[in-house]
Amino acid sequence: MKPIIYLLIVLNCLIISAVAQDKTEKYLEDKYSWYISLNLGNAVGNYQKILEDADKAGTKGGLVIGGLMNPYKRSKASTVFYGGEFGFQSNGRDKTPISASLGDFYVANHSFWLNGVARYRPILWSSKLNPYADAFFGAKLIRTSVVEQFGQDESEILKAVNKLVPNYGAGVGLGIKLSGQLKNNYLDIGLYYQQADATRIVKPNSVEINSTYQASFKQILTSTNQIVVKIGLAGFL
């Protein structure tokens, strides 16, 4: 959690600076806001140790798309917008599973989530720097697929394991106002802590395939918590 604390301190300084420099109070009374971001997740705690033991630790990439709404619509500006987001993250592939069958196999790991989001923006006018803070709660699907590859464009899922868990957390970020044709948009950079309840997932590198093409594996109990860096675009309508 230390990186988020440090970023909060930095954002507080930026808010003070932005308020001091931008005295033109052109209040935003936007009805909607949208964002699309590259999601870079880094496991923490027990989950990080599990991945390190399997040689799978490191940054995992994905994508997040969200939409927010001013609760007052355009009747007046609001410091808080509400909405939702959909996220996807590839958690990489396991090593080639042990197999007693002829064939080309791999194990793919992915996460999907759907969250309700509340975003707080202390600066309502079109400032050069626009800090924000998010809180979110929703559901996360952790999916492990055992796949047989027949050719470059043909494959078949032998077995899929899906785990659905509550997903929640918070983060802070900073919007940097763009210019030109993107003058109503911001480059957003955010730091988040994403937590999911503990569940039994497929233990990395534990999948085995027997001679009858049946997949077996071990399971391990863990919370798939991570620190997430988001880099993307946000706009207002």
Side-chain angles (χ1 to χ4, degrees):
M1 295 296 290
K2 286 185 178 180
I4 293 181
I5 295 173
Y6 296 151
L7 187 57
L8 279 170
I9 296 172
V10 173
L11 281 173
N12 184 57
C13 296
L14 290 172
I15 291 170
I16 295 172
S17 176
V19 171
Q21 293 176 10
D22 196 336
K23 300 181 184 298
T24 306
E25 298 184 354
K26 295 181 179 179
Y27 287 96
L28 297 174
E29 295 180 354
D30 307 286
K31 189 174 182 180
Y32 300 105
S33 174
W34 58 268
Y35 58 90
I36 180 169
S37 302
L38 178 65
N39 188 89
L40 303 172
N42 295 272
V44 296
N46 185 56
Y47 186 42
Q48 181 184 25
K49 185 179 184 305
I50 290 171
L51 295 181
E52 286 177 346
D53 290 344
D55 265 342
K56 290 188 60 184
T59 302
K60 311 299 182 184
L63 193 68
V64 177
I65 299 174
L68 305 171
M69 184 178 70
N70 181 342
Y72 304 110
K73 298 187 177 179
R74 284 200 177 93
S75 62
K76 65 177 181 178
S78 175
T79 57
V80 180
F81 274 42
Y82 301 95
E85 69 174 22
F86 171 76
F88 159 82
Q89 183 175 301
S90 172
N91 296 322
R93 293 185 179 184
D94 289 4
K95 294 177 181 178
T96 304
I98 298 173
S99 174
S101 302
L102 296 175
D104 184 11
F105 304 93
Y106 65 86
V107 180
N109 302 281
H110 300 90
S111 296
F112 305 85
W113 58 87
L114 185 64
N115 293 326
V117 180
R119 173 165 291 185
Y120 170 68
R121 292 187 299 137
I123 299 177
L124 292 178
W125 53 94
S126 186
S127 58
K128 293 180 180 179
L129 299 177
N130 195 280
Y132 60 89
D134 288 350
F136 59 87
F137 180 86
K140 178 179 179 180
L141 176 68
I142 305 167
R143 180 177 175 85
T144 299
S145 303
V146 183
V147 182
E148 182 176 6
Q149 189 76 45
F150 298 111
Q152 186 173 356
D153 301 315
E154 186 179 1
S155 62
E156 179 182 348
I157 296 176
L158 295 181
K159 189 175 184 66
V161 180
N162 298 304
K163 298 289 185 175
L164 188 65
V165 293
N167 178 63
Y168 43 93
V172 292
L174 180 68
I176 303 171
K177 190 171 178 60
L178 301 175
S179 58
Q181 294 183 341
L182 296 174
K183 64 181 180 180
N184 291 324
N185 301 314
Y186 285 81
L187 171 66
D188 274 1
I189 302 173
L191 180 64
Y192 293 76
Y193 180 73
Q194 183 187 57
Q195 181 163 325
D197 283 4
T199 189
R200 290 192 176 276
I201 64 171
V202 175
K203 184 178 181 180
N205 302 331
S206 71
V207 174
E208 297 184 9
I209 302 168
N210 64 23
S211 58
T212 60
Y213 293 86
Q214 299 297 312
S216 62
F217 48 82
K218 297 178 182 178
Q219 295 194 54
I220 190 167
L221 180 66
T222 184
S223 298
T224 54
N225 302 340
Q226 56 180 5
I227 296 291
V228 177
V229 176
K230 292 183 181 179
I231 303 172
L233 290 175
F236 301 92
L237 303 173

